[in-house]
Amino acid sequence: MRKNILFFLVALSLLVLSQALAQASFYARPLGLQTSRMKGEDVYSVQSYLLNAGYPEVGELDRIYGPRTWQAVINFQEMQGIKGDEKGTVGPNTWVAMFYSGRIQAPIFSRALQLQNPRLSGVQVRSLQQRLLELGYREVGEADGFFGPKTQAAVSAFQKRLANVSGLKVRTDGVMDGVTWANLFSDFAPEKK
């Protein structure tokens, strides 16, 4: 009886620890099946998430993006109806589906958003402005749906904070790329201090 309780407590502790580690990871690159297997903490985060979300086909939490992880990602994408990322690849949209449970619905990332003339506008811009405001990046002004100089400044401030907190080498020029998007809409997006 004691062995069963001890085993249960150890298993529960490992589950909680794996979830905590998964939450501590930042999105740095698209993850997919390659001849030279991708390895790292981001792979572990995805594997841990999938296992905890009911995708046992992911197999061992070995931090290696192999065929089993690839298949589990495909199954997850199909079950969640994820669009915009290549089948079996953890791109910005799949990452957000895994690691974001917020109030603002994150639209599909389809292209980089940046300051240009005429100004970009639409649902994606408004969503990123709302998320920036939620995280305390007030330099964005208001969520008007237009990507202007204030939005660029807020994105740049977020990118600098992300680089500082995560240690990732990310762009800090105010261009909303896939890496910035996935981290902005993750549950562990750094708030402005």
Side-chain angles (χ1 to χ4, degrees), residues 10-28:
V10 169
L12 182 62
S13 297
L14 288 174
L15 178 65
V16 170
L17 177 62
S18 68
Q19 288 176 332
L21 288 173
Q23 291 297 315
S25 185
F26 292 91
Y27 179 80

Side-chain angles (χ1 to χ4, degrees), residues 170-182:
V170 297
R171 64 188 317 154
T172 59
D173 57 2
V175 174
M176 179 60 65
D177 62 353
V179 170
T180 307
W181 185 268

Side-chain angles (χ1 to χ4, degrees), residues 130-137 158 183-184 189-192:
Q130 289 171 332
R131 180 67 172 151
L132 286 165
L133 285 168
E134 180 182 289
L135 294 171
Y137 296 88
F158 172 79
N183 286 300
L184 179 68
E191 294 181 3
K192 186 166 185 182

Side-chain angles (χ1 to χ4, degrees), residues 14-25 31 41-62 69 72-73 75-77 79-80 82 90 93-101 187-188:
L14 288 174
L15 178 65
V16 170
L17 177 62
S18 68
Q19 288 176 332
L21 288 173
Q23 291 297 315
S25 185
L31 299 173
E41 293 307 308
D42 50 356
V43 175
Y44 177 80
S45 294
V46 168
Q47 290 174 328
S48 177
Y49 174 86
L50 290 167
L51 187 62
N52 292 324
Y55 295 87
E57 63 272 22
V58 75
E60 187 179 340
L61 302 180
D62 59 4
T69 303
V73 169
N75 295 346
F76 174 77
Q77 289 171 326
M79 289 296 292
Q80 299 297 316
I82 296 169
V90 180
N93 298 310
T94 304
W95 187 272
V96 169
M98 289 179 175
F99 299 107
Y100 180 64
S101 57
D187 286 337
F188 41 86

Side-chain angles (χ1 to χ4, degrees), residues 142-159:
E142 61 180 288
D144 62 3
F146 290 93
F147 198 106
K150 290 181 178 180
T151 302
Q152 181 185 30
V155 170
S156 179
F158 172 79
Q159 289 169 325

Side-chain angles (χ1 to χ4, degrees), residues 85-156:
D85 289 343
E86 186 178 324
K87 186 176 178 180
T89 298
V90 180
N93 298 310
T94 304
W95 187 272
V96 169
M98 289 179 175
F99 299 107
Y100 180 64
S101 57
R103 295 181 309 274
I104 297 172
Q105 181 65 31
I108 294 172
F109 178 80
S110 59
R111 62 184 172 133
L113 302 174
Q114 60 190 348
L115 188 60
Q116 64 184 42
N117 191 8
R119 290 189 179 159
L120 292 173
S121 63
V123 173
Q124 280 189 319
V125 176
R126 185 180 310 276
S127 292
L128 84 88
Q129 290 170 328
Q130 289 171 332
R131 180 67 172 151
L132 286 165
L133 285 168
E134 180 182 289
L135 294 171
Y137 296 88
R138 302 282 175 234
E139 52 268 74
V140 78
E142 61 180 288
D144 62 3
F146 290 93
F147 198 106
K150 290 181 178 180
T151 302
Q152 181 185 30
V155 170
S156 179

